Amino acid sequence: MSEILERNKEYASVMKDSLKLRGEPVAIRLIRENEEFPAGYSAPDKQLSHCQAIFAAKRGECLLMPLEMQGCKVGSSALGMNETPEKVASGEFHFGIGIHDTQDATAEMIAKRVSMPKTKGEVVCPLKDADFVPDVVAIVDIPERVYWIVPLSTSNGGGRMAFSTSPFQCACEDVTSVPMVTGAPNVSLGCFGCRKKTDMAADELACGIPYDLIPGYIEHLKKYSSGVMTKAKRD
């Protein structure tokens, strides 16, 4: 077993046990143009959206997702894999769904989204099976579980946390792009696409955590699990 895989298995075990996660923490690695895809991972037998891949990994699947396996051009463009389709950039596509009052409003939403530099695909799998260094670790669970990201993030410096979200692009933008660009965790209430195309439950939130923060979170979770977590209502 490689050192990276062994470390990720430990991180996943601590996160799952301490946070009482109902599914696996998910490792997400975007593959830059000058990088090779990690060995040992297979593409799905059909195209999947980024959000569908995350929820498959939450259930235990490992997926190698080059551009040709990306089933959602909105999500893959937010992740830097392709240009934003014209109907998306203009607002026409999302306006047709019926949430916004005007096409200009949906165009403004897309104009302000956080997008990644050029990439050529991704690997998405349970953190416990990640034999690579992820960019982001995602968790999806009830608010009480996701709540602990706030204490973990403010334990050293204090202060308050702010999160960025919109009615669309939970998994691609909120949970992946935003944490990668800002270097801070981001919590999402979910989105229309996730709640339509995945098994995201009505009582679940999502959170993306930059991998660089995970080692410190793990050390705090070890303390919390025998300390402050025992004093809170957690069921």
Side-chain angles (χ1 to χ4, degrees):
M1 184 187 302
S2 74
E3 183 179 340
I4 292 174
L5 179 57
E6 185 174 5
R7 182 168 65 241
N8 285 337
K9 282 185 180 294
E10 179 194 1
Y11 291 167
S13 177
V14 173
M15 291 181 72
K16 193 166 184 182
D17 291 347
S18 298
L19 295 172
K20 297 187 176 182
L21 298 177
R22 299 186 291 189
E24 295 294 334
V26 175
I28 303 165
R29 174 74 185 185
L30 298 187
I31 309 302
R32 284 65 166 176
E33 286 192 294
N34 61 345
E35 293 179 334
E36 297 296 326
F37 284 91
Y41 301 93
S42 300
D45 56 8
K46 63 179 181 179
Q47 287 187 329
L48 297 174
S49 64
H50 177 69
C51 57
Q52 288 171 330
I54 287 178
F55 279 83
K58 176 175 173 273
R59 298 190 300 269
E61 296 185 42
C62 286
L63 299 167
L64 185 149
M65 297 276 289
L67 175 59
E68 60 266 25
M69 298 311 301
Q70 297 286 332
C72 174
K73 297 302 182 186
V74 178
S76 57
S77 63
L79 298 172
M81 298 178 202
N82 54 266
E83 295 298 321
T84 303
E86 175 56 35
K87 287 187 177 181
V88 175
S90 70
E92 179 182 348
F93 174 77
H94 288 96
F95 178 62
I97 294 173
I99 287 178
H100 293 84
D101 291 339
T102 66
Q103 185 171 318
D104 285 346
T106 54
E108 179 74 359
M109 175 187 69
I110 296 300
K112 289 187 174 179
R113 73 179 182 174
V114 175
S115 298
M116 296 299 303
K118 185 67 174 175
T119 63
K120 63 181 183 181
E122 62 181 329
V123 179
V124 182
C125 73
L127 180 60
K128 67 181 180 65
D129 299 321
D131 196 7
F132 56 86
V133 176
D135 292 306
V136 173
V137 175
I139 60 172
V140 180
D141 217 307
I142 60 174
E144 191 279 332
R145 276 47 168 172
V146 177
Y147 153 78
W148 290 99
I149 301 305
V150 177
L152 290 167
S153 301
T154 59
S155 60
N156 181 261
R160 299 180 62 82
M161 294 193 70
F163 304 120
S164 175
T165 191
S166 75
F168 299 95
Q169 302 174 107
C170 159
C172 52
E173 184 179 8
D174 296 356
V175 170
T176 306
S177 295
V178 172
M180 288 182 66
V181 169
T182 65
N186 194 49
V187 173
S188 177
L189 302 179
C191 74
F192 179 83
C194 276
R195 298 191 181 282
K196 179 182 179 182
K197 296 193 294 185
T198 76
D199 58 358
M200 188 175 199
D203 63 349
E204 288 184 323
L205 308 178
C207 180
I209 307 160
Y211 184 74
D212 288 347
L213 299 180
I214 294 295
Y217 282 15
I218 295 303
E219 292 306 309
H220 280 86
L221 281 173
K222 290 176 180 177
K223 299 175 184 177
Y224 287 2
S225 61
S226 59
V228 65
M229 282 177 162
T230 67
K231 304 173 184 179
K233 295 178 181 178
R234 305 209 58 213
D235 296 324

